[in-house]
Amino acid sequence: MDMVLAGRTAFQFHRIPPQVAMLVNEELDVTSALGPRMLARRQSYFHYLTTPLEILVFERRARHASKGIHRTLWTGELPVGGVWDIDAYLKVASPAFTLFLLAQRVSIIQLVMAMYELTGRFTVFAADPKHMEYLEHAGALSDASWRLAPGRSGQSTLWMRPPLVTIEELWDMCEKTRGRRGHKVFERALKEVKGVVASPLEARAVMRLCGSRSLGGEGFGPVELNSKVRFSRAARAVTGQDHGIVDILFPADDRHKDFAYECQGRAVHGPYGLTGADANRLLGLQLMGIDTALLTYEQLADQYRFEQVRRLTADKLHTRYQKKSAALLEHERQLRRELFIDWEDLCGEVR
C-alpha cells in the first residue's frame, strides 16, 4: 500500500520551496518494511519533515502505535484530487485535504492561520544554510514562482509564491467531507477566511480586525484583501504605476468612504520599513480618495497600541464599537496567545 503523508507532515511538505526540495537527497525508503523502524531513530525525514511522520492508513488493523509514525485512519473513498504523487510509492495529501485533516489535530485559530498561508501568496520556511548557500550561488533564490523575501541582515524565512489552493477549492473540500469528523471545525474556520493575503502580518491583521468576535476578532467588515485599484493620471504621475494593491480595504458604503490599511512588515518592505516607493503608493491611494493608514506588527501585538487601532477603525467606519463581555475578552486573549507565535512553528504542536 502506498504511503500518504498527512496532517502536520503534509503541511510541512507543502512549505518546502521546489528549488530547495530538489537539493534533498533522502536515502531512507519509508515505504519499505524496514523504513518505519529506521525512522524511529531519526528526528526528521526528507531533511525538513519532523518525526513522527503523520500518514493515512485505510484499515483499523494498520492503526498501530509506532515511535516514528503517527497513523490516522481514513475509511471510505478519498476525496477526488485529495492525494498527490511524490514518487511511485510515496504520496501527500493535497493542500485542501491537508487542511481538512489538520482540523482534527490543531486549534481552530491555528487552522485559520494555516488556511491563510496555503491560500495566500507566501510561506514561512527556514532552509538549511548549506541549501541556501548553494541556491544563492546558483542564483536560484528567486525563480519564476517562489522567491525569498528580503529580511534583516539578509536573513529571511518568508518566501513569496502563488497560492497553493484557492478558497473555492477549500469550499469544495468542505462539501466533499460533509459528515466526516472535523467537518464542523473546518467549515467554521473557512468562514473566517476573508480573502487572499500576501504575508503573515496581513493574516494577523485581518484575524484581529475582521475575525469574528467569538474567535477573538473585532468583526469589522465587509473587507476586501489585496484589492487592485486603477490609478488616475495624477496618481500614475506620483507612483509611476498604472495601479496599486490595497492590503486591507473597507469599501465605501452609505456610512463611510473607502478606508484602508497598508501593512508595513520588514520582511516584505525591507529592513528599513517604509521605502520611497511605498510612500509614493500611499500618496497615490490618497489621491484616489482612499483614506489610508499604516499598520505594523507592534500595533497588532501590543494591546495598548491595538486599542488605538481598534478605536481608529471604528471611527473611520462610523460604527459604534460594542464593548466585549468577559467571555469575549477571554477569546481575544486566546487569539493573541496563538496568533503571535513564531509563524514558522505554525501547526508544529498537534493533538
Side-chain angles (χ1 to χ4, degrees), residues 70-235:
H70 174 87
R71 295 168 173 85
T72 297
L73 177 65
W74 183 271
T75 57
E77 294 293 322
L78 288 166
V80 176
V83 172
W84 293 356
D85 290 336
I86 297 176
D87 58 33
Y89 302 102
L90 189 62
K91 303 179 185 299
V92 63
S94 68
F97 194 29
T98 294
L99 290 168
F100 177 76
L101 294 170
L102 282 172
Q104 307 173 32
R105 305 278 286 156
V106 300
S107 73
I108 187 170
I109 292 172
Q110 290 209 30
L111 182 59
V112 176
M113 294 166 71
M115 286 180 171
Y116 270 122
E117 177 170 333
L118 295 191
T119 63
R121 298 190 179 97
F122 75 94
T123 200
V124 177
F125 176 80
D128 185 302
K130 293 181 180 178
H131 290 162
M132 291 293 290
E133 183 179 3
Y134 179 89
L135 291 173
E136 188 172 4
H137 285 308
L141 287 178
S142 176
D143 69 5
S145 56
W146 292 61
R147 62 181 178 84
L148 187 66
R152 294 179 181 176
S153 303
Q155 301 301 315
S156 177
T157 57
L158 181 65
W159 296 74
M160 315 309 291
R161 50 131 181 86
L164 299 184
V165 63
T166 66
I167 296 173
E168 290 74 20
E169 287 170 333
L170 293 191
W171 279 113
D172 184 54
M173 179 60 64
C174 188
E175 185 61 33
K176 290 176 180 176
T177 54
R178 193 168 298 279
R180 291 274 186 176
R181 180 177 170 230
H183 176 269
K184 290 184 178 180
V185 175
F186 184 83
E187 184 175 38
R188 185 185 176 198
L190 188 49
K191 289 178 179 178
E192 294 290 318
V193 179
K194 309 300 181 183
V196 177
V197 298
S199 71
L201 180 60
E202 289 181 22
R204 288 178 168 119
V206 177
M207 290 180 71
R208 289 222 72 179
L209 288 170
C210 308
S212 64
R213 287 161 71 93
S214 62
L215 280 184
E218 299 303 325
F220 292 124
V223 66
E224 296 177 6
L225 306 181
N226 284 285
S227 295
K228 189 175 183 178
V229 176
R230 291 286 179 185
F231 282 151
S232 64
R233 180 181 297 180

Side-chain angles (χ1 to χ4, degrees), residues 9 17 35 56 58 64-65 108 129 135 149 151-152 164 187 267-269 276 299 334 346-347 351:
T9 301
L56 287 184
F58 305 97
H64 55 272
I108 187 170
L135 291 173
R152 294 179 181 176
L164 299 184
E187 184 175 38
V268 175
H269 296 271
Q299 290 166 347
Q334 183 59 34
L346 181 61
C347 298
R351 296 191 288 262

